[in-house]
Amino acid sequence: MIFKSVPHIGGPLQLLGWLALILLMKHDHLLSPPAWDSVMGVFPPAVFLAENDFNLGLLAQQANWWQGGPNVHSLSLFTWLVAAAISITRDPQLTFLFLHGVTFLLTALSLWWYTRLLTALDVDAVPACLAALALLLCPLVLVQVERLYTEIPLMACHVGVALLLCRKSHLAAVLVAITALAIKLTAVALVVGLSLLLLAGLPRYPKKNAVALILLVVGSGFILLLPMLVGSATVRPGGWGDSALLLKQLELRLESVPDITLLMKLAIVAALVLPLWWWYRSRGGKSHASLSTPAIFVLLVPALFALGVIVGAHRGNLFLPRYAVAVLPLVLGSVVLLCREFLPRYALIALLGVCAIAFTLNHNGRYYPPNHDSFSVVGRSLAYREFN
């Protein structure tokens, strides 16, 4: 198995446990139809592909969602999975059942891999499992578990890349990163972070890292050029506003999810502090496991994501809180690594327990601030169903 050599807790039984917990919480949504983003962004191109013999060239010529057409996320691997499910099952209920099953399984895999990732980074088993539980109970994540959209597959890819780096399987990590980018371009922070680590490791692994880096650049470049190669329309929607307005909207949307914003700030602190702390600890020939590439990767990607959000606002791109779901395991992982260095084990366990309880009490974002800007509510709670 691809992750066989990485230490883990409970083996496949833990995977089954996570899957059972997800089914317990979300079984009543197994036949739920798509809503909001899925209705507008994934199912229109998927239905078009299924009804037109998967003619990508024809789909590429259609109008986009703001023009009332189906050409949305047309090149996403998730869209093509939905199209395949529609074509094979030929029944809406079976399609929904299959896609929800895939999403539940990817969520369970993400949580299982996440505990293995943290234990590989020298986090004890109990805080590792509590961190995974807190991740699942986070309102943004728990809502996405039942939404037939791209965030959960992206989350699985982010955890998978970090875990493969623990195994020193750089080529496999590159393939997963390219897959993430092929699902949605918001995985760019993952790709950039992996590229930087491969570059930094060239002196130590010149041949291995060079091959992986070339594959990553070629694969990512192909995905970025693919819309042009298929002749897809490149018209951008209007009305998002200038950079000042988008930065103000970004501020308001971060305020609408204060827990995620706090974790992101702590993750940035961790990215600034821990490498220096580990360097200081390693002086005098002392080795420290946290100086490994996977730990630096866990710290780097959230910081790159935050930078990308700010740069994106300056470039006219809209931010929604749910975009953070993909990188949230690494955000929480950065905070766990920070606390592990400066707090006793029982304090870390207590903090993660409080975090899990707080997320549970805030189920579906019931305690998030009621004031929100634009569509931020649809990314943070089940209120998105009101927008159908």
Side-chain angles (χ1 to χ4, degrees):
M1 293 178 62
I2 198 168
F3 298 117
K4 185 175 180 180
S5 67
V6 181
H8 56 91
I9 312 165
L13 286 178
Q14 188 195 155
L15 171 62
L16 294 176
W18 289 121
L19 187 58
L21 179 59
I22 293 166
L23 286 169
L24 180 65
M25 292 189 294
K26 295 292 184 178
H27 66 276
D28 54 336
H29 294 285
L30 278 170
L31 298 179
S32 295
W36 194 240
D37 291 2
S38 297
V39 171
M40 298 294 292
V42 171
F43 274 77
V47 171
F48 187 94
L49 287 169
E51 292 179 347
N52 291 275
D53 298 323
F54 291 83
N55 190 331
L56 177 58
L58 183 60
L59 175 59
Q61 300 307 312
Q62 305 304 306
N64 211 312
W65 64 267
W66 59 86
Q67 300 167 319
N71 187 14
V72 195
H73 297 312
S74 302
L75 301 174
S76 171
L77 290 181
F78 188 75
T79 296
W80 285 73
L81 174 65
V82 175
I86 293 172
S87 179
I88 293 171
T89 64
R90 299 186 179 278
D91 178 84
Q93 296 298 303
L94 290 178
T95 297
F96 300 153
L97 179 62
F98 170 75
L99 293 173
H100 281 298
V102 169
T103 304
F104 289 3
L105 179 58
L106 285 175
T107 306
L109 282 169
S110 298
L111 298 171
W112 181 38
W113 292 342
Y114 191 50
T115 60
R116 297 173 66 182
L117 169 64
L118 291 178
T119 53
L121 296 176
D122 297 328
V123 175
D124 289 345
V126 173
C129 289
L130 277 175
L133 179 61
L135 178 66
L136 173 64
L137 296 175
C138 174
L140 263 65
V141 174
L142 201 56
V143 166
Q144 292 298 322
V145 170
E146 70 177 57
R147 296 182 69 176
L148 303 176
Y149 205 55
T150 57
E151 311 305 340
I152 293 300
L154 285 178
M155 184 175 76
C157 288
H158 279 70
V159 179
V161 169
L163 187 56
L164 285 165
L165 288 175
C166 289
R167 192 179 183 269
K168 295 184 171 58
S169 299
H170 291 179
L171 284 177
V174 164
L175 292 176
V176 175
I178 292 173
T179 299
L181 197 64
I183 292 172
K184 198 173 184 181
L185 295 183
T186 50
V188 64
L190 178 71
V191 173
V192 173
L194 183 56
S195 300
L196 292 175
L197 284 179
L198 291 174
L199 279 171
L202 275 175
R204 187 175 182 184
Y205 305 106
K207 184 176 179 180
K208 182 179 180 179
N209 279 26
V211 172
L213 188 59
I214 291 172
L215 178 61
L216 182 60
V217 171
V218 172
S220 302
F222 175 76
I223 292 170
L224 294 175
L225 291 174
L226 194 55
M228 184 179 65
L229 295 176
V230 301
S232 184
T234 56
V235 179
R236 291 175 59 86
W240 290 154
D242 58 20
S243 60
L245 177 60
L246 289 173
L247 286 171
K248 181 61 177 178
Q249 288 181 339
L250 171 61
E251 180 182 354
L252 292 172
R253 286 171 181 168
L254 290 176
E255 289 175 358
S256 75
V257 284
D259 46 0
I260 304 304
T261 303
L262 175 61
L263 288 175
M264 186 65 72
K265 290 178 178 178
L266 290 174
I268 294 173
V269 170
L272 295 173
V273 171
L274 286 182
L276 293 176
W277 173 248
W278 291 335
W279 173 80
Y280 174 78
R281 290 277 306 269
S282 67
R283 292 178 63 188
K286 294 181 180 179
S287 62
H288 197 270
S290 295
L291 286 173
S292 63
T293 295
I296 298 299
F297 178 81
V298 168
L299 297 173
L300 180 61
V301 173
L304 289 172
F305 174 83
L307 178 63
V309 168
I310 297 172
V311 172
H314 281 287
R315 293 176 57 87
N317 294 318
L318 198 67
F319 171 78
L320 293 175
R322 61 173 169 76
Y323 295 165
V325 168
V327 75
L328 197 55
L330 305 187
V331 170
L332 183 57
S334 298
V335 177
V336 169
L337 292 178
L338 180 66
C339 293
R340 184 201 60 186
E341 290 295 328
F342 302 108
L343 295 177
R345 180 176 179 270
Y346 70 86
L348 174 57
I349 292 174
L351 283 175
L352 289 170
V354 169
C355 186
I357 293 172
F359 285 155
T360 302
L361 294 175
N362 192 30
H363 185 66
N364 291 336
R366 63 166 62 99
Y367 293 121
Y368 281 145
N371 298 324
H372 59 85
D373 178 66
S374 186
F375 301 128
S376 63
V377 68
V378 306
R380 74 184 199 192
S381 74
L382 290 177
Y384 70 84
R385 294 189 181 278
E386 300 173 5
F387 289 78
N388 280 349

